[in-house]
Amino acid sequence: MIPNAYRSLHCNAVRPEHIGQTVTLCGWVNSARDHGGVIFIDLRDREGLTQVVFRPEENAALAEQSHTLRDEDVIQVIGKVAARLTGTENAKLGTGEVEIVATELKVLNKSEVLPFHLDREMSNEDLRMKYRYLDLRRERMNKNIRTRHKITTAARNYLDATGFIEVETPILSNPTPEGARDFLVPARLSPGKFFALPQAPQQYKQLLMVAGLERYFQIARCFRDEDLRADRQPEFTQIDIEASFIEQNDIIQLVEGLLASMFKAGQGVDIPTSFQRITYQHAMDVYGSDKPDTRYGLEIVDMADVFANSGFKIFRTILEGGGVVRAINAKGFAGITTGQMIRLNELAIQAGMKVKQLAFIKVERNAEGVLEYKSPLWKFFGEDEQKALIAKLGVEENDIVFFYAGTWDDACNILGKVRLEIASMQKLTEGSTALNFLWVVDFPLLAYSPEDQSWVAVHHPFTRPKAEDVPLLNAGEYGKVRAEAYDVVLNGYELGGGSIRIHESDLQAKMFSVLGVTPEEQELKFSHILEAFKFGAPPHGGLALGLDRIAMLVSGEESIREVIAFPKNNKACDLMTDSPTNVDFKSLRELYVQSTWKEKKKEDAEAPAA
RNA sequence: GGAGCGGUAGCUCAAUUGGUUAGAGCGCCAGCCUGUCACGUUGGAGGUUGCGGGUUCAAGUCCCGUCCGUUCCGCCA
């Protein structure tokens, strides 16, 4: 801290070495302990606390003044640093061996009583958001905001050191044809036209590669007008990266180093700089998710070989029809409650399960000490099947095995969700400090959308197909084409993702046509990028990391709201500033915009009862 | 758009099967208190139980509607 007229030290900096010195401190009254005679004030600034003592026998007028201090008053104190009386040291404070014997007190600003306690956790989110500036005074929030600063700085430093150049791209840009809903901004000088806020600087960063920048990054604010979640806000921040003359492996190594520097800065931990890599296919098969949490097992096991010739007709028929039979062994979860079972089934039904109940086998020892396989379907299995099943799943006493038989898509989706819910019910990650980073690679390039009755890009339309799969693309086997795309995952959270891009205009045009973008639309919406690719676009690729999620995980929080200074609530409103807000007719008219929104009519209270 | 959980004093929560004047801790205000650090202590103020309707002799509690918060599903290239 640079001393100035307001203060000579931060509160937390006062140490025994200062004993005898006169210091000036500023801050907030954290607590005032008035003993009638002597008064203690804990003075707080952003760095910490120092105890200030006022004694009537030394300065009666000053002591009298100190009686009027209330919590959160902003004050300046001049005083002499003294050792605390023997036996009154406070080991809980960094400054607990010393105190300031005040000689001058200036009240810089009185505070009204706060609407909530700063030193206690709150459950009233409304109130926290309305008084966010007070919420941020709390130690936890102060720490979160500063941790975010540290990891952002670490990222900047790392990327600068590895040759990346920070470039700002436009916030006012064009709507994205596919993907999330855009926030629109009316363009007054182009009547009737609109800008959109960027969902990501995707096209700009690729054009910077065409521009020959070779290595670009940006701490980029992005906007998506979709419904919110604990880890999704309408505006959020990405560490956006793009580089030329690189391959997937180069990006992966770069990002491993980048994340290591960020976790080092934020948490002080050294994470391994070579993460496990698994294919999308493997992730879906074994975890039923493309962002698997590998802090626990509960792996999904394919049971096709066990049931291929099963006497249990349902399983056999599904297998013969090209479906799958898969199982999860929840170790030690035979004590599942009825309520938990109901919840699992509800979850599975919501995820697309066609039957009412998940098939299961529960293994418990009965009163006679004999192992019992309690299950609606155990009796349908032959003895060999039973043995094979037990061996394959490692079934033991107190386990419960859940089955799903159906299409591969449904099995992944349903068992993936069941797996997460069981882990939550069994509290498998409680108290865990594990950081399970991994890469998911070889994503499919395209997925068929039954709603749109067309193929859509799994990542985005600029993603490069794997070279060896291009023949499949040309042959129209769209579902089998894999992409040069990769996601980085931590403990079940997608931290970021990216791809090697298409840099040839003919391949890009081919991709657009597969996606059902007509030549006219291509010309209208993408002519700039298609044209740019004709002028010597280098091979390039990149990735974007969700800074908010990383900050959340580094801080051990469960919502990104806790690491964003001024977040929006569930309805995308800011309760502090009461935004969004109505605008008057004149403002709208200037923009050539008219609202069609009508307030719902109140129910006719006057109407006679029917 | 759908589902779950929640809404009681400024804050955090309690209130049995529907039954007395809706309580506690913290905070606040006032008094006392010269070594506390979540100071102590005595007293006091503070409530449209989110809102509207209904059932009932009686509703914080049951029913219907609605609003708000939150979590999840849908959605998020």
Side-chain angles (χ1 to χ4, degrees):
Chain A
M1 199 209 93
I2 301 167
N4 65 6
Y6 268 111
R7 55 183 171 185
S8 60
L9 279 176
H10 270 305
C11 289
N12 198 39
V14 190
R15 295 293 142 123
E17 72 207 57
H18 299 107
I19 287 170
Q21 293 179 19
T22 295
V23 297
T24 311
L25 302 178
C26 284
W28 291 262
V29 174
N30 199 62
S31 79
R33 295 179 295 279
D34 185 341
H35 288 257
V38 67
I39 283 198
F40 300 101
I41 301 290
D42 285 344
L43 188 61
R44 181 192 79 236
D45 63 20
R46 72 172 205 193
E47 302 295 335
L49 294 179
T50 284
Q51 175 166 281
V52 182
V53 59
F54 296 86
R55 295 196 189 95
E57 66 271 24
E58 287 174 8
N59 191 333
L62 194 64
E64 191 59 33
Q65 196 192 354
S66 74
H67 285 286
T68 66
L69 291 176
R70 293 292 179 272
D71 286 1
E72 300 305 309
D73 288 345
V74 183
I75 62 173
Q76 180 188 46
V77 172
I78 302 175
K80 203 173 238 185
V81 181
R84 291 203 184 185
L85 301 185
T86 310
T88 66
E89 299 89 351
N90 185 348
K92 281 187 264 180
L93 290 183
T95 58
E97 289 175 60
V98 294
E99 61 193 6
I100 309 294
V101 180
T103 52
E104 275 182 59
L105 167 66
K106 192 187 272 181
V107 177
L108 301 175
N109 209 348
K110 291 289 289 178
S111 172
E112 290 190 11
V113 175
L114 265 44
F116 51 77
H117 299 266
L118 295 185
D119 56 354
R120 236 191 278 178
E121 288 302 313
M122 303 254 313
S123 57
N124 190 335
E125 291 287 320
D126 267 15
L127 208 63
R128 286 185 66 193
M129 290 307 156
K130 184 172 177 190
Y131 297 100
R132 186 61 163 180
Y133 48 89
L134 298 179
D135 193 45
L136 292 173
R137 275 188 200 170
R138 296 155 65 220
E139 192 182 345
R140 168 178 156 214
M141 298 306 291
N142 176 294
K143 198 173 164 216
N144 288 354
I145 297 294
R146 296 177 73 170
T147 298
R148 183 182 176 124
H149 162 72
K150 280 190 205 164
I151 64 176
T152 309
T153 304
R156 272 211 170 85
N157 291 342
Y158 181 89
L159 289 165
D160 176 56
T162 46
F164 283 80
I165 296 162
E166 186 167 13
V167 181
E168 292 173 87
T169 55
I171 291 293
L172 296 175
S173 51
N174 264 344
T176 321
E178 288 183 62
R181 211 172 278 122
D182 290 307
F183 281 99
L184 293 177
V185 181
R188 181 180 58 86
L189 296 176
S190 301
K193 295 189 176 178
F194 293 83
F195 293 108
L197 306 183
Q199 296 178 25
Q202 183 59 38
Q203 293 184 43
Y204 292 110
K205 68 174 175 176
Q206 291 191 242
L207 292 167
L208 286 171
M209 295 303 103
V210 181
L213 215 67
E214 298 199 13
R215 293 190 158 215
Y216 141 95
F217 85 99
Q218 181 176 194
I219 313 289
R221 194 68 66 89
C222 303
F223 305 85
R224 292 179 191 174
D225 187 10
E226 295 293 344
D227 285 9
L228 287 76
R229 290 284 190 279
D231 62 353
R232 272 163 38 188
Q233 283 272 309
E235 53 179 306
F236 58 100
T237 306
Q238 288 190 340
I239 300 177
D240 195 45
I241 295 169
E242 194 78 6
S244 298
F245 310 119
I246 44 107
E247 297 177 329
Q248 170 171 308
N249 206 35
D250 300 315
I251 298 272
I252 284 182
Q253 281 176 21
L254 174 86
V255 171
E256 286 171 348
L258 172 61
L259 285 169
S261 76
M262 293 169 78
F263 273 78
K264 182 72 180 174
Q267 253 185 12
V269 296
D270 290 301
I271 61 171
T273 48
S274 181
F275 307 163
Q276 185 191 3
R277 294 184 204 181
I278 61 177
T279 63
Y280 172 84
Q281 179 76 33
H282 183 259
M284 296 306 290
D285 278 338
V286 176
Y287 304 104
S289 167
D290 62 359
K291 44 176 184 172
D293 190 343
T294 58
R295 286 175 297 172
Y296 46 85
L298 288 175
E299 293 181 357
I300 299 167
V301 179
D302 189 89
M303 303 302 284
D305 51 347
V306 174
F307 295 118
N309 302 302
S310 179
F312 186 48
K313 200 177 158 196
I314 297 173
F315 281 6
R316 202 184 64 228
T317 314
I318 285 171
L319 285 171
E320 284 167 0
V324 298
V325 177
R326 293 194 170 171
I328 294 178
N329 181 6
K331 305 293 294 179
F333 198 42
I336 184 172
T337 65
T338 309
Q340 288 174 322
M341 195 67 118
I342 289 167
R343 257 184 77 194
L344 276 184
N345 284 320
E346 279 174 355
L347 193 88
I349 288 166
Q350 205 171 32
M353 184 170 70
K354 304 292 188 296
V355 294
K356 281 183 187 158
Q357 285 189 329
L358 285 162
F360 68 90
I361 299 170
K362 193 155 67 166
V363 188
E364 284 178 313
R365 204 170 287 279
N366 68 11
E368 285 80 48
V370 180
L371 270 191
E372 282 191 329
Y373 294 82
K374 296 174 188 166
S375 165
L377 35 77
W378 188 247
K379 58 176 181 264
F380 297 113
F381 299 157
E383 205 172 307
D384 288 351
E385 279 171 59
Q386 293 179 351
K387 274 188 187 160
L389 183 154
I390 288 168
K392 180 139 200 192
L393 291 164
V395 180
E396 297 172 302
E397 184 177 349
N398 293 327
D399 290 354
I400 179 165
V401 179
F402 294 96
F403 291 89
Y404 185 80
T407 64
W408 182 82
D409 282 323
D410 280 349
C412 291
N413 191 24
I414 290 163
L415 290 177
K417 286 189 168 126
V418 165
R419 175 176 182 268
L420 290 179
E421 185 61 27
I422 292 172
S424 156
M425 286 171 171
Q426 289 193 282
K427 301 189 164 90
L428 294 181
T429 58
E430 212 171 63
S432 166
T433 56
L435 294 171
N436 283 23
F437 290 92
L438 60 88
W439 288 98
V440 178
V441 298
D442 295 355
F443 274 81
L445 183 70
L446 298 157
Y448 189 75
S449 163
E451 290 164 42
D452 305 335
Q453 299 200 326
S454 70
W455 291 89
V456 295
V458 169
H459 188 53
H460 59 53
F462 311 106
T463 302
R464 185 171 199 81
K466 275 190 167 296
E468 61 263 41
D469 290 354
V470 169
L472 291 168
L473 186 68
N474 292 329
E477 301 251 27
Y478 300 142
K480 291 182 184 167
V481 182
R482 290 168 302 160
E484 293 273 356
Y486 34 81
D487 276 2
V488 60
V489 175
L490 169 58
N491 295 351
Y493 287 94
E494 182 193 330
L495 293 188
S499 61
I500 302 299
R501 326 295 184 191
I502 297 167
H503 60 271
E504 309 92 325
S505 69
D506 52 345
L507 183 57
Q508 185 65 66
K510 162 79 180 169
M511 186 65 185
F512 280 136
S513 71
V514 171
L515 292 169
V517 184
T518 64
E520 294 75 37
E521 279 178 287
Q522 290 181 34
E523 176 58 29
L524 196 67
K525 292 169 180 164
F526 300 108
S527 59
H528 56 288
I529 203 156
L530 289 171
E531 195 176 16
F533 286 172
K534 292 175 184 164
F535 296 123
H540 62 282
L543 164 142
L545 293 171
L547 178 61
D548 308 278
R549 283 184 194 170
I550 294 171
M552 170 183 93
L553 291 164
V554 166
S555 292
E557 294 289 354
E558 287 183 351
S559 166
I560 60 171
R561 283 192 305 268
E562 308 299 341
V563 296
I564 296 173
F566 299 104
K568 305 281 192 284
N569 75 3
N570 233 5
K571 293 223 168 69
C573 296
D574 177 346
L575 296 177
M576 186 179 72
T577 61
D578 197 25
S579 72
T581 185
N582 293 313
V583 293
D584 57 31
F585 176 75
K586 189 168 163 269
S587 308
L588 289 175
R589 194 177 53 190
E590 263 184 354
L591 300 167
Y592 310 98
V593 167
Q594 190 175 4
S595 173
T596 60
W597 167 254
K598 287 190 185 107
E599 289 230 16
K600 264 190 214 162
K601 276 185 188 169
K602 289 222 167 128
E603 291 300 317
D604 224 354
E606 312 298 307

